[in-house]
Amino acid sequence: MEVFLIRLLQFMLAISLLVLLHELGHFTFAKLFKVRVSRFYLFFNPKFHILSTYDTWLRRLLKLKPEVVPTKKDEEGNEKKEYVGTEYGLGWLPLGGYCAIDGMIDETNQKLSEKAQPWEFRTKPVWQRLLIMIGGVLVNFLLALFIYSMILFHWGDTYIPVKDMTMGMKFNSEAKALGFKDGDILVGTEKGEFKDFSADLYRDISEAKRVDIVRDGKPMSLTLPGELNLLGMLKAEPSFVRPLIPAVIDSVMADTPAASIGLQKGDRIVAINGSPVDSYNEFTDQIGRLSDVMAVAKTSEDSMKVRRATIAFTRGETTDTAEVVLSPELTVGFFVKTLAGVYKPYTREYGFFESIPAGIKYGWNVLAGYVDDMKYVFTADGAKSLGGFGAIGSLFPPVWDWYLFWKMTAFLSIILAFMNILPIPALDGGHVLFLMYEAITRRKPSEQFMIRAEYVGFGILILLMVVANLNDILRWLGYM
């Protein structure tokens, strides 16, 4: 429960910050061009809100003149002026936020007056309306680049270079069919050297026609097709490629199967149920096969047969074999060194002015990779991989870590910017598309058309949200 709450708080804080600044981007350009903004809300407020206030007190505090708009003239022909302020509020439905810009057809479903007013969005030049619409996306994109830059400035860039992973990699059967062998040290592709073990390494391999490796101390190259399925590589069990980690015990938990048979730090696991184990990767693969058998067990006796295992291990020059009953979750109760414990991480530090171009480059590479991966969304496996709020929340660490929090927030900001600029009605990109049409043809789409397009776009978004969150539920229930 504690882990759930920590992840939930991180998720809510990140989303609130990103939505608030996104809407502030629209708000700022609207105010700059003297467009009235009647409401500015974090979260949605159907039927009721948690709190709201008008900016009257703020204007008094800052000694600003009241914001007024001309209304109809009186009987003597004098033009009346009416005070108009912005209502700032907090809604109860945490699915985003909005700022209601007068004279704009959007999700707020505001009714437009018959006569367009000079302070309304629809009366402004195309270029001003365009800037108002891209303001949110622009803020999210610049925010992501700023966060990445500050991460590099404060924490630097810490990683384990792939070329330093001298024990090599562990490959699955698909990778071995392409020519890889366990123990190969990955160097790079025709695009350049691999940096660290991340999704970028998978992406480079999937697109490579040549991959450079070191095998048994000798440099060599393998020829690849250049069009491997990245999504399939990432989802494969066991993984397409993983850093090889020795099956050497680093610590043993008390009152566990490992402790019951006397396993100690420094012992090396060499076999389980008679199957040789050459690494911790292979050990987890064997446990995974037992999990598959356990999943189809029909009786408690069948489950107990799976849980009874024989583990062979070496201690010094001696090899021992012990029978053990695994836990119901098929855990043994020991830990091995993490990758950072096996290899020494490298940290590159950045000065303030160095961090800015480095952060921009990092953010741009994240965006480019995300855009490139979008092609998999339109496949069956891609649709199943869509995730909703649960999937996004699970990406945050189980403990509060500011480095990982800000890195995840920057990533979500990139996603929010990209998704919002897609040419789908009800998104900023849909409005931009219609504005581009108007700029080219010198003709405005009719208000009736815009309203219908808004409904269609909103329906598409609701459908995507339902599918994504349904996937989360099915994964939680074990059906995916």
Side-chain angles (χ1 to χ4, degrees), residues 237-238 285-297 306 330:
E237 290 292 341
D285 290 347
Q286 294 290 342
I287 295 294
R289 295 186 183 98
L290 293 179
S291 296
D292 293 338
V293 177
M294 177 74 89
V296 297
V306 178
L330 299 183

Side-chain angles (χ1 to χ4, degrees), residues 30-42:
K31 289 294 186 180
L32 180 66
F33 299 130
K34 301 187 185 314
V35 176
R36 179 182 174 183
V37 179
S38 56
R39 291 190 303 280
F40 185 97
Y41 265 75
L42 175 64

Side-chain angles (χ1 to χ4, degrees), residues 23 26-27 37 39-41 97-101 104 106-108:
E23 297 303 330
H26 295 306
F27 179 88
V37 179
R39 291 190 303 280
F40 185 97
Y41 265 75
Y98 69 95
C99 69
I101 300 174
M104 176 180 167
D106 59 9
E107 71 276 5
T108 59

